[in-house]
Each structure stands twice: as structure tokens, then as C-alpha cells.
Amino acid sequence: MKSLFLNLPLLADVSKIANDDYVGFTFFVGCMAMMAASAFFFLSMNNFDRKWKTSILVSGLITFIAAVHYFYMRDYWAVVGESPTFFRYVDWTLTVPLMCVEFYLILKVAGAQKSLMWKLIFASVIMLVTGYFGEAVYTTGSGPALWGLISGLAYFWIVYEIWFGSAKKLAEAAGGSILKAHKTLCWFVLVGWAIYPLGYMAGTAGWYNPGGDSWSLSMDVIYNIGDAINKIGFGLVVYGAAVASQSSTSEA
Ligand SMILES: *C/C=C(C)/C=C/C=C(C)/C=C/C1=C(C)CCCC1(C)C
């Protein structure tokens, strides 16, 4: 494996992004989008009372952590010309648990316990570590299928918990803008997060990439689209809930 901490030359190589380099292009746009979203969340934080401030802060942290990783991934792609799998999974391992924290923070007003948060975080770490095994460690034979399956089970565990488990009951008890935000975030996890296993399948040799390397490129494009939808969109849902909740209390 090539050193992950290469002294990456910046502009020289980035300026070489070709017109048909969709991976390089989406990494570049990803940097800008994540950075802009972070600025938006951080700067709007102080418009909200304490209950919502932390949620907006976490939205900003998610896109900010992603922005930093996107700069590294963009450069790694430009210089090495391979999928930056390591950075990708470090990014996810930091940001996906933070998304689980968002579920907890939103439901805290309805009395959510920390145990709910830890359960979701635990499941998400299993999902990502086993996914990494299938994508980067056990990449031959039945490895990708086996580890992908375990990862998928952990994913469905998360889906179950938020759609049907205690999280759902808490959201119903809270009602109003909390219930609405929870429902939207549930859809993000069910539909938005489902983009990632598609990327994984596209990146696994012999599955959706019969053409070999020429097809495996699309894995990163799929992941990048998924990240933009899920990290920025997810944060905006939380932001919208904060706005709705605050305007309904100030009217009352
Ligand atoms: C911001 C990053 C997010 C929301 C990343 C989410 C990643 C997943 C939901 C990944 C799921 C996977 C499976 C369900 C099976 C195959 C392996 C993974 C890790 C791609």
C-alpha cells in the first residue's frame, strides 16, 4: 500500500483534472459544497436557543470533517489515481456516528436515553468496519459478499431502530416539528444511505463492473453523490426543524 501521508502537491496536480474525470470533478465539487455547508451551519448556530444549538453545531461538524477529508481525497485521487478508501472510511467512521448523535439530540426533548445513541453508534461502527474489510482487506473470493452482508445487517439494524424501535415511539411522543424531522431523517437513512451499498457493489470486481477498472471508477462518484445528499441534506433537515420549532414557540 502506498503511504497515506504523502507530501501531496496541491495545485499542480489538481489543475490536471481532465474533462472526463468524474471522480476528480466530484471530489472537487465535494470540497466546496462541504465547506460552504459548514460555514452556513456554524454561522447560523447562534440564531437558535440552546436546545437546538448543539444539533446545528453537530450538522456543521459533520460537513466540516467531510470537507477536510474531501481535500485529502481529492489530492490522493489526483496524485495516486486510486480510490482513497482509507480516508473515505476514516471520514465515515467519524461522521456517521455523529449522525446517530443527531437522532439522539433531536429526541432528547422527548426523553431519549443515551443508550439509544450508543446503540445506533455501535451498529454504525459495525456497519463501517465490516464494510471496510469487504472493500479493502478481504477483497477476493467470497470476502466482499460476506463482509458486505454483515455490514448490510448492521445497516438494517439501524433502519429498524429508527423506523420501528424506541426512537420512533419517542418521536411520536414529541410530535410536531420533532416528529416531522425524525421521519425525514428516517427516509434519509433508508433511501439516502442505500446509495452506499450500490457504490460498494460497483466497486467490487466482477459484480457490477464487468469492464474491470473502467467501471470501478464509478464507485467514488456514487459515494460522492451519496455524501453530498446525506451530509448536507441531513444537516439541512435538522436546520429546518430548528427553524420550525423556534418559530412555533415564539408565536405561542
Ligand atoms: C456521510 C457518510 C455516510 C452517511 C455513509 C454511510 C455509509 C453506509 C450506509 C455504508 C453502508 C455499507 C453497506 C450497507 C454494505 C456495504 C458496505 C458499506 C459500508 C458501503
Side-chain angles (χ1 to χ4, degrees):
M1 188 165 78
K2 295 190 180 69
S3 167
L4 296 164
F5 302 102
L6 301 165
N7 197 2
L8 298 171
L10 293 172
L11 274 174
D13 287 282
V14 170
S15 65
K16 282 193 300 208
I17 292 180
N19 288 334
D20 60 350
D21 178 4
Y22 299 112
V23 176
F25 174 72
T26 50
F27 274 134
F28 192 87
V29 175
C31 292
M32 301 309 139
M34 296 294 179
M35 220 170 41
S38 308
F40 175 78
F41 292 131
F42 288 147
L43 291 172
S44 62
M45 228 177 90
N46 286 326
N47 299 339
F48 299 99
D49 58 29
R50 262 196 82 218
K51 181 166 69 88
W52 285 104
K53 216 177 253 181
T54 318
S55 303
I56 309 288
L57 171 66
V58 173
S59 293
L61 287 176
I62 290 169
T63 51
F64 182 69
I65 292 169
V68 175
H69 283 84
Y70 264 76
F71 278 102
Y72 277 92
M73 292 196 285
R74 182 198 69 180
D75 293 346
Y76 188 90
W77 174 259
V79 175
V80 183
E82 286 173 9
S83 291
T85 308
F86 176 80
F87 291 121
R88 177 82 74 188
Y89 275 84
V90 174
D91 172 351
W92 289 354
T93 310
L94 295 169
T95 52
V96 176
L98 281 175
M99 296 169 105
C100 298
V101 172
E102 290 277 38
F103 272 99
Y104 163 74
L105 287 175
I106 285 184
L107 297 175
K108 218 167 104 181
V109 280
Q113 306 283 315
K114 282 234 170 67
S115 59
L116 168 71
M117 177 183 86
W118 288 115
K119 201 193 301 182
L120 295 176
I121 290 178
F122 180 69
S124 71
V125 171
I126 294 190
M127 174 182 85
L128 296 172
V129 170
T130 53
Y132 184 77
F133 282 164
E135 193 172 318
V137 184
Y138 304 103
T139 56
T140 54
S142 54
L146 184 70
W147 290 106
L149 176 71
I150 300 171
S151 175
L153 290 175
Y155 167 63
F156 281 119
W157 181 17
I158 299 172
V159 169
Y160 177 83
E161 281 299 330
I162 56 173
W163 275 86
F164 308 107
S166 58
K168 188 208 171 191
K169 291 181 191 86
L170 288 165
E172 277 172 347
S177 55
I178 306 274
L179 176 61
K180 222 176 117 206
H182 178 80
K183 269 208 178 122
T184 313
L185 294 183
C186 281
W187 278 107
F188 267 89
V189 173
L190 183 66
V191 181
W193 289 21
I195 294 171
Y196 297 96
L198 295 178
Y200 179 89
M201 288 190 263
T204 302
W207 288 17
Y208 286 158
N209 60 342
D213 283 350
S214 58
W215 261 77
S216 63
L217 292 184
S218 59
M219 178 186 79
D220 281 294
V221 174
I222 297 170
Y223 284 165
N224 290 352
I225 293 171
D227 278 355
I229 294 174
N230 288 295
K231 291 185 165 65
I232 300 173
F234 204 92
L236 287 174
V237 172
V238 175
Y239 176 85
V243 172
S245 143
Q246 203 135 297
S247 60
S248 67
T249 44
S250 63
E251 276 160 21

